[in-house]
């Protein structure tokens, strides 16, 4: 039986991960926290508390009262928002991670922290991007992700904190909207198709990035935390991959279901340059070997499922 605290629970990932954790471990065992109040449906499904994850004291008290033995740390500022306010991104991403790791060290919790394809930079090999490779990102978001990976490794090596994590690709989901990342187009394109039959994309037609459907991302987050620690060589920041998409490839697949769907392009130079610096396809063989990672959704299965759920409203 696990008792879990989730930070940033109201975001794109948390709104999927919290229900899955509650299904697996019991609703009362999972305390959802966020800096803002969540929707009444999310709150009534189980315990919820407003907690600023950058406040170590508040995180510590919430962990103690809930008697948590694991923390899923999702609170963060994402890539595009981070470029608008770099100091905020550094403050939120680093201060909250340090707070969570210190609380975990004091109270003996395991910690899941997501890294990202954004941790890589333009001089990283792009396809395939190896598990262990050159990482010199040019965004403040990426810098916090690399620093976070290293800090999680440090807390494991130095203090024995059971830190684990994956590098998520761009995540595609219905429900809670994405929080201001560079891959938001891959979610918005579905809404555009269903609601208006067209979509204006902010990156070029041939911009290839790793993407994943949210049910697979949630399985990865739970899977790495349940993995046999004796088999883990890397522990933190496993590359995980499911599909490589460009806007034109995704648009063509959507057009098979939404006749006459039109895509046009108004490129945002900031997000285009971020996307250009990220991998085209990650090598996830370490995750496959060390804890049995395997995605279930490919482009066709994801597109069908997304459109079905969005059409149901
Ligand atoms: N969504 C993706 O495509 C993706 C890809 C790679 C990595 N990630 C990582 O996964 C994690 C979660 O991402 P997401 O997409 O759910 O982000 P999101 O922006 O949708 O949600 C983040 C949540 O954190 C909350 N938050 C912000 N500041 C906070 C604070 N100080 N204290 C407590 N809560 C705070 C926000 O209110 C929000 O609900 C992040 O670390 C992100 O970098 C996401």
């Amino acid at each position: 039986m696990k008792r879990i605290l989730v930070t940033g629970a109201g975001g794109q990932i948390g709104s999927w991960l919290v229900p899955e954790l509650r299904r697996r471990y019991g609703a009362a065992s999972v305390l959802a926290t966020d800096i803002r109040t969540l929707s009444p449906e999310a709150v009534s499904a189980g315990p919820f508390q407003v907690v600023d994850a950058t406040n170590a004291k508040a995180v510590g008290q919430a962990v103690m009262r809930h008697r948590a033995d694991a923390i899923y740390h999702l609170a963060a500022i994402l890539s595009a928002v981070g470029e608008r306010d770099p100091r905020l991104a550094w403050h939120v991403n680093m201060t909250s991670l340090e707070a969570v790791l210190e609380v975990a060290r004091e109270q003996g919790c395991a910690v899941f922290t997501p890294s990202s394809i954004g941790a890589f930079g333009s001089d990283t090999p792009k396809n395939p991007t190896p598990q262990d490779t050159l990482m010199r990102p040019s965004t403040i978001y990426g810098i916090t992700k690399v620093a976070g990976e290293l800090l999680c490794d440090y807390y494991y090596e130095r203090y024995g904190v059971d830190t684990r994590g994956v590098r998520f690709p761009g995540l595609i989901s219905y429900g809670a909207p994405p929080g201001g990342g560079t891959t938001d187009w891959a979610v918005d394109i579905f809404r555009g198709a269903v609601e208006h039959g067209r979509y204006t994309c902010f990156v070029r037609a041939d911009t290839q990035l790793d993407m994943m459907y949210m049910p697979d991302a949630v399985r990865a987050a739970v899977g790495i935390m349940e993995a046999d620690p004796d088999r883990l060589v890397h522990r933190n920041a496993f590359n995980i991959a499911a599909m490589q998409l460009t806007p034109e490839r995704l648009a063509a697949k959507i057009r098979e279901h939404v006749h006459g769907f039109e895509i046009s392009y108004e490129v945002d130079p900031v997000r285009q340059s971020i996307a250009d610096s990220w991998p085209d396809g990650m090598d996830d063989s370490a995750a496959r070997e060390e804890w049995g990672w395997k995605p279930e959704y490919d482009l066709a299965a994801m597109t069908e499922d997304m459109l079905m759920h969005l059409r149901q409203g």
Side-chain angles (χ1 to χ4, degrees), residues 11-13 34-36 51-53 74 115 141 145 168-169 171:
Q12 189 193 5
I13 299 178
D34 203 289
I35 199 165
R36 59 194 166 96
V51 175
D52 178 350
L74 305 181
S115 186
Y141 176 72
K145 288 299 177 190
F168 281 131
L171 299 179

